[in-house]
Short mmCIF file of all heavy atoms in Angstrom, two decimals:
data_model
loop_
_atom_site.label_atom_id
_atom_site.label_comp_id
_atom_site.label_asym_id
_atom_site.label_seq_id
_atom_site.Cartn_x
_atom_site.Cartn_y
_atom_site.Cartn_z
N CYS A 324 101.11 34.38 94.93
CA CYS A 324 101.06 33.06 94.01
C CYS A 324 100.81 33.50 92.57
O CYS A 324 101.55 32.93 91.63
CB CYS A 324 99.89 32.23 94.37
SG CYS A 324 100.07 31.57 96.12
N ILE A 325 100.10 34.62 92.34
CA ILE A 325 99.97 35.13 90.93
C ILE A 325 101.21 35.71 90.49
O ILE A 325 101.66 35.49 89.26
CB ILE A 325 98.79 36.13 90.93
CG1 ILE A 325 97.51 35.49 91.15
CG2 ILE A 325 98.84 36.90 89.63
CD1 ILE A 325 96.29 36.41 91.35
N LEU A 326 101.93 36.47 91.16
CA LEU A 326 103.26 37.00 90.78
C LEU A 326 104.27 35.89 90.44
O LEU A 326 104.99 35.93 89.57
CB LEU A 326 103.84 37.87 91.88
CG LEU A 326 103.09 39.25 92.14
CD1 LEU A 326 103.60 39.89 93.35
CD2 LEU A 326 103.14 40.18 90.84
N ASP A 327 104.25 34.79 91.17
CA ASP A 327 105.04 33.66 91.02
C ASP A 327 104.74 32.99 89.69
O ASP A 327 105.52 32.50 88.94
CB ASP A 327 104.88 32.63 92.08
CG ASP A 327 105.99 31.53 92.08
OD1 ASP A 327 107.08 31.91 92.08
OD2 ASP A 327 105.53 30.33 91.99
N ASP A 328 103.38 32.86 89.40
CA ASP A 328 102.90 32.30 88.11
C ASP A 328 103.39 33.08 86.90
O ASP A 328 103.66 32.50 85.82
CB ASP A 328 101.32 32.29 87.99
CG ASP A 328 100.77 31.13 88.88
OD1 ASP A 328 101.49 30.22 89.17
OD2 ASP A 328 99.53 31.26 89.32
N TYR A 329 103.58 34.45 87.02
CA TYR A 329 104.00 35.29 86.00
C TYR A 329 105.55 35.43 86.12
O TYR A 329 106.09 36.32 85.49
CB TYR A 329 103.27 36.65 86.06
CG TYR A 329 102.01 36.65 85.46
CD1 TYR A 329 100.87 36.14 86.16
CD2 TYR A 329 101.67 37.06 84.08
CE1 TYR A 329 99.64 36.06 85.49
CE2 TYR A 329 100.54 37.04 83.49
CZ TYR A 329 99.45 36.55 84.21
OH TYR A 329 98.16 36.50 83.61
N ARG A 330 106.20 34.53 86.89
CA ARG A 330 107.64 34.36 86.79
C ARG A 330 108.27 35.61 87.25
O ARG A 330 109.39 35.89 86.80
CB ARG A 330 108.13 33.88 85.46
CG ARG A 330 107.51 32.55 84.98
CD ARG A 330 107.63 32.35 83.50
NE ARG A 330 108.98 32.06 83.03
CZ ARG A 330 109.37 31.70 81.85
NH1 ARG A 330 108.42 31.83 80.94
NH2 ARG A 330 110.62 31.37 81.53
N ILE A 331 107.73 36.29 88.33
CA ILE A 331 108.37 37.36 88.91
C ILE A 331 109.42 36.83 89.93
O ILE A 331 109.05 35.84 90.64
CB ILE A 331 107.37 38.22 89.64
CG1 ILE A 331 106.30 38.74 88.63
CG2 ILE A 331 108.04 39.52 90.34
CD1 ILE A 331 106.81 39.66 87.43
N LYS A 332 110.56 37.38 90.03
CA LYS A 332 111.61 36.90 90.91
C LYS A 332 111.02 36.87 92.33
O LYS A 332 110.33 37.68 92.77
CB LYS A 332 112.81 37.67 90.87
CG LYS A 332 113.59 37.63 89.54
CD LYS A 332 114.90 38.41 89.61
CE LYS A 332 115.55 38.31 88.32
NZ LYS A 332 116.83 39.17 88.25
N GLU A 333 111.31 35.69 93.04
CA GLU A 333 110.86 35.46 94.41
C GLU A 333 111.19 36.48 95.34
O GLU A 333 110.35 36.87 96.18
CB GLU A 333 111.31 34.16 95.00
CG GLU A 333 110.70 33.79 96.28
CD GLU A 333 111.08 32.36 96.72
OE1 GLU A 333 111.74 31.66 95.95
OE2 GLU A 333 110.76 32.01 97.89
N GLU A 334 112.46 37.12 95.29
CA GLU A 334 112.82 38.10 96.19
C GLU A 334 111.98 39.45 96.04
O GLU A 334 112.11 40.38 96.88
CB GLU A 334 114.33 38.37 96.04
CG GLU A 334 114.77 38.79 94.64
CD GLU A 334 115.13 37.70 93.79
OE1 GLU A 334 114.73 36.64 94.02
OE2 GLU A 334 116.04 37.91 92.88
N ASN A 335 111.37 39.70 94.87
CA ASN A 335 110.58 40.80 94.57
C ASN A 335 109.09 40.68 94.86
O ASN A 335 108.36 41.62 94.96
CB ASN A 335 110.73 41.28 93.16
CG ASN A 335 112.15 41.68 92.80
OD1 ASN A 335 112.93 42.14 93.70
ND2 ASN A 335 112.59 41.51 91.58
N GLN A 336 108.66 39.46 95.04
CA GLN A 336 107.14 39.14 95.21
C GLN A 336 106.61 39.75 96.40
O GLN A 336 105.48 40.38 96.26
CB GLN A 336 106.98 37.65 95.14
CG GLN A 336 107.31 36.95 93.93
CD GLN A 336 107.20 35.36 93.98
OE1 GLN A 336 106.84 34.88 95.04
NE2 GLN A 336 107.60 34.72 92.98
N TYR A 337 107.27 39.75 97.55
CA TYR A 337 106.68 40.30 98.78
C TYR A 337 106.63 41.79 98.80
O TYR A 337 105.70 42.46 99.12
CB TYR A 337 107.39 39.83 100.00
CG TYR A 337 107.00 38.37 100.37
CD1 TYR A 337 107.83 37.24 99.99
CD2 TYR A 337 105.82 38.14 101.10
CE1 TYR A 337 107.42 35.99 100.29
CE2 TYR A 337 105.47 36.80 101.47
CZ TYR A 337 106.30 35.84 101.05
OH TYR A 337 105.94 34.51 101.39
N LEU A 338 107.73 42.44 98.16
CA LEU A 338 107.81 43.87 98.00
C LEU A 338 106.67 44.36 97.17
O LEU A 338 105.94 45.34 97.38
CB LEU A 338 109.22 44.27 97.51
CG LEU A 338 109.33 45.77 97.13
CD1 LEU A 338 109.12 46.60 98.46
CD2 LEU A 338 110.69 46.04 96.57
N LEU A 339 106.44 43.74 96.09
CA LEU A 339 105.43 44.01 95.04
C LEU A 339 104.10 43.98 95.66
O LEU A 339 103.18 44.77 95.37
CB LEU A 339 105.59 43.34 93.81
CG LEU A 339 106.78 43.53 92.93
CD1 LEU A 339 106.88 42.55 91.78
CD2 LEU A 339 106.71 44.99 92.38
N THR A 340 103.87 42.92 96.53
CA THR A 340 102.61 42.72 97.16
C THR A 340 102.27 43.76 98.15
O THR A 340 101.15 44.31 98.26
CB THR A 340 102.63 41.32 97.90
OG1 THR A 340 102.83 40.24 96.93
CG2 THR A 340 101.26 41.11 98.63
N VAL A 341 103.37 44.17 98.96
CA VAL A 341 103.22 45.33 99.96
C VAL A 341 102.79 46.58 99.21
O VAL A 341 101.96 47.30 99.67
CB VAL A 341 104.45 45.51 100.76
CG1 VAL A 341 104.40 46.72 101.62
CG2 VAL A 341 104.72 44.23 101.66
#
Side-chain angles (χ1 to χ4, degrees):
C324 298
I325 291 173
L326 290 172
D327 189 57
D328 285 340
Y329 278 80
R330 301 163 74 181
I331 306 298
K332 292 182 180 180
E333 185 174 352
E334 58 267 26
N335 296 330
Q336 291 172 8
Y337 284 97
L338 174 61
L339 294 172
T340 299
V341 171

